[in-house]
């Protein structure tokens, strides 16, 4: 689960991370009232969406009058904001956060995440915080400093101080930055987070560090332990498709590419996405049929899939097991195809229980599909159809994504 910046800041403040004073607003009038309440002469108005890159897209603005607050909020609210992380259709802005504006002298970067290579919660820092880190992190790998944390010992302040110094905090700021890093680590564990990112961690003119932006991603699998955090889930941020799918025993995640993926099981889904990405193919979404789904529910899901805009191909990757059988998925697909025309090529990989029967069902219904013999074969066929195959650099992508 992702939560909004203002919610993340409130939670992190509770763990001792310094954040600017601010107030959330749902209307332009509320935004102006918020600024009046905060006092001062300059404020930041920040669009609250579940994506970064707002600074480059006009979603973070410095304003210096109450009238300008209202106008700026008016301009942002009720419209989608397109950033390089949202996809071309953008995300609807339904709330803005109004904060006191501060003067950063330097902008650092600090994050806590699980490093897969070392299997450790890791603190990652960079002197190149702010809006250019993504490009810089890829170009200058030396500009990123990692501190893997021993789960038994926790963060050693001496190590955190070394990290702080290496990312450019001076003698005065380094101990404070180290304390913030340690506090972020504690917050990461307390919230069962999967990512905390502070970008920028500003060093203010008075020398003090302050988190000007905060991103907190919570681990869905641990959410049952945090009813208070689960309540922060913002249904507005789920696409209509995701909510509709959930009603039919289907997990649906919208993405920004052009290949629809139908799978059964999250693990199979991840493997499918990885293989496609490896070939430079961009998934449009990810539709995971739960084991309890009926033929009619599968049909509803597949109908939604067929209605996805900008689709160039659909990959159906089903591993039939004891509960979900390939023939049942095929029957659902056939039902859907009777109502919604199939305008894009289908690549189908059926394996396991009733795979052959599933293929036969599609054939009997004259539903044209390329059958793949393996997952790798399926990804290759999809890449051929979409004309991808350069093999995007997944590694640099992963780094950029984290930044
Ligand atoms: P993002 O682009 O979505 O990550 O949004 P941020 O919250 O990081 O804001 C973008 C940029 O606005 C930051 O990198 C800062 O450079 C700048 N910014 C944010 N808050 C302040 C502030 O209080 N004062 C000033 N001068 N700049 C700010
Ligand atoms: Mn930011």
């Amino acid at each position: 689960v992702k939560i909004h910046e203002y919610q993340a800041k409130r939670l992190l403040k509770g763990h001792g991370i310094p954040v600017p004073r601010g107030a959330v607003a749902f209307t332009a009038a509320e935004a102006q009232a918020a600024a009046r309440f905060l006092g001062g002469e300059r404020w930041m108005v920040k669009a609250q969406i579940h994506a970064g890159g707002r600074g480059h897209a006009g979603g973070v603005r410095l304003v210096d009058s109450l009238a300008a607050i209202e106008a700026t909020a008016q301009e942002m609210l009720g419209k989608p904001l397109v950033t390089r992380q949202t996809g071309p259709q953008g995300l609807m802005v339904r709330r803005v956060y109004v904060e006191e504006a501060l003067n950063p002298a330097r902008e650092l970067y600090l994050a806590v995440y699980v490093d897969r290579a070392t299997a450790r919660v890791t603190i990652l820092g960079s002197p190149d915080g702010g809006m250019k880190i993504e490009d810089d992190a890829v170009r200058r790998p030396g500009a990123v400093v990692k501190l893997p944390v021993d789960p038994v010992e926790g963060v050693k302040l001496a190590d955190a101080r070394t990290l702080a110094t290496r990312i450019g905090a001076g003698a005065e700021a380094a101990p404070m930055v180290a304390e913030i890093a340690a506090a972020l680590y504690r917050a990461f564990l307390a919230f069962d987070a999967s990512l905390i990112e502070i970008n920028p961690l500003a060093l203010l003119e008075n020398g003090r560090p302050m988190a000007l932006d905060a991103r907190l991603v919570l681990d869905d699998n641990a959410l049952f332990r945090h009813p208070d955090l689960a309540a922060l889930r913002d249904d507005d941020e789920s696409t209509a498709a995701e909510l509709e799918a959930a009603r039919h025993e289907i997990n649906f995640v919208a993405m920004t590419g052009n290949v629809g993926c139908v799978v059964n099981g999250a693990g199979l889904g991840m493997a499918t996405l990885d293989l496609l990405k490896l070939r430079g193919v961009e998934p449009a979404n990810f539709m995971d049929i739960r084991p309890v789904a009926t033929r009619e529910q599968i049909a509803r899901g597949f109908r939604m899939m067929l209605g996805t805009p900008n689709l160039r191909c659909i990959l159906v990757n089903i591993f039939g097991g004891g509960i979900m059988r390939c023939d049942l998925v095929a029957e659902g697909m056939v039902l859907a195809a009777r109502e919604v025309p199939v305008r894009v090529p289908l690549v189908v990989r059926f394996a396991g229980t009733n795979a052959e029967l599933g293929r036969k069902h599609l054939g009997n219904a004259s539903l044209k599909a390329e059958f793949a013999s393996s997952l790798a074969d399926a990804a290759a066929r999809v890449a051929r159809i979409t004309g991808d195959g350069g093999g995007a650099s997944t590694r640099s992508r992963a780094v950029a994504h984290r930044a």
Side-chain angles (χ1 to χ4, degrees):
V1 163
K2 295 178 183 176
I3 60 175
H4 288 294
E5 174 195 6
Y6 76 95
Q7 296 165 326
K9 281 176 165 166
R10 187 167 66 214
L11 290 170
L12 293 175
K13 189 179 173 191
H15 279 263
I17 318 283
V19 298
R21 296 170 54 242
V24 69
F26 291 79
T27 65
E30 277 177 25
Q32 199 185 51
R36 204 176 278 129
F37 164 77
L38 292 169
E41 281 154 10
R42 293 161 68 241
W43 302 270
M44 301 301 294
V45 181
K46 310 183 73 174
Q48 298 297 288
I49 54 170
H50 285 172
R54 296 164 302 165
H56 281 300
V60 174
R61 307 236 211 112
L62 177 69
V63 293
D64 56 8
S65 77
L66 288 171
I69 290 264
E70 185 156 26
T72 305
Q74 190 71 53
E75 222 172 283
M76 285 182 186
L77 285 163
K79 281 190 219 60
L81 178 66
V82 180
T83 82
R84 58 182 169 194
Q85 292 183 19
T86 60
Q89 67 290 344
L91 287 173
M92 182 61 74
V93 180
R94 293 191 172 86
R95 11 187 144 179
V96 295
Y97 193 42
V98 181
E99 282 186 325
E100 57 176 339
L102 297 157
N103 291 323
R106 298 273 317 275
E107 296 191 331
L108 312 180
Y109 175 96
L110 211 51
V112 185
Y113 70 106
V114 180
D115 186 73
R116 283 169 201 275
T118 56
R120 291 258 155 120
V121 175
T122 298
I123 301 174
L124 186 138
S126 168
D128 299 325
M131 299 199 285
K132 53 183 189 20
I133 172 115
E134 297 177 18
D135 319 326
D136 284 358
V138 174
R139 238 185 286 129
R140 307 199 292 145
V144 167
V145 182
K146 284 186 191 177
L147 172 59
V149 181
D150 183 300
V152 177
E153 297 185 359
V155 178
K156 286 187 255 166
L157 268 182
D159 292 344
R161 224 172 269 195
T162 306
L163 175 131
T165 305
R166 284 182 61 197
I167 64 172
E172 194 196 348
M176 293 187 277
V177 171
E179 288 288 353
I180 289 174
L184 286 177
Y185 174 79
R186 287 191 295 270
F188 185 93
L189 296 190
F191 296 135
D192 284 315
S194 54
L195 175 73
I196 301 183
E197 185 184 60
I198 306 299
N199 184 36
L201 176 71
L203 298 181
L204 303 180
E205 283 170 332
N206 65 12
R208 301 189 71 83
M210 178 86 81
L212 292 194
D213 188 15
R215 191 164 148 218
L216 175 52
V217 182
L218 304 165
D219 182 348
D220 286 354
N221 296 309
L223 218 51
F224 72 95
R225 302 205 286 208
H226 306 280
D228 48 330
L229 299 180
L232 297 178
R233 181 199 298 265
D234 181 355
D235 274 348
D236 289 350
E237 299 292 325
S238 305
T239 63
E242 286 166 8
L243 294 173
E244 159 82 4
R247 281 192 284 276
H248 306 298
E249 303 298 348
I250 285 169
N251 304 320
F252 185 82
V253 179
M255 283 174 277
T256 56
N258 49 32
V259 173
C261 303
V262 181
V263 298
N264 63 324
L268 184 63
M270 292 303 136
T272 305
L273 298 185
D274 280 353
L275 272 176
L276 290 178
K277 282 277 203 180
L278 211 57
R279 294 199 170 259
V281 175
E282 293 295 337
N285 54 40
F286 160 87
M287 179 172 278
D288 171 21
I289 301 172
R290 296 178 193 155
V292 293
T294 63
R295 183 179 56 172
E296 284 70 27
Q297 287 174 319
I298 295 168
R300 292 287 281 266
F302 199 66
R303 237 158 49 199
M304 281 178 52
M305 175 62 83
L306 293 172
T308 308
N310 308 321
L311 216 55
R312 284 171 61 189
C313 175
I314 296 174
L315 168 59
V316 177
N317 183 20
I318 299 296
F319 191 86
I323 307 175
M324 185 48 67
R325 308 171 330 250
C326 295
D327 60 315
L328 193 72
V329 174
E331 285 178 15
M333 290 168 64
V334 169
L335 273 182
R338 279 195 202 134
E339 295 172 33
V340 180
V342 182
R343 291 203 186 83
V344 296
L346 274 178
V347 175
V348 175
R349 181 236 179 187
F350 281 154
T353 308
N354 290 356
E356 191 46 51
L357 189 56
R359 285 190 282 268
K360 207 176 277 171
H361 279 329
L362 296 187
N364 289 344
S366 311
L367 197 52
K368 282 205 182 53
E370 279 192 34
F371 291 109
S373 57
S374 68
L375 190 39
D377 179 34
R381 286 171 188 272
V382 170
R384 214 170 301 136
I385 290 168
T386 59
D388 294 307
S393 158
T394 38
R395 201 182 144 65
S396 61
R397 230 167 244 234
V399 172
H401 188 73
R402 194 170 293 142

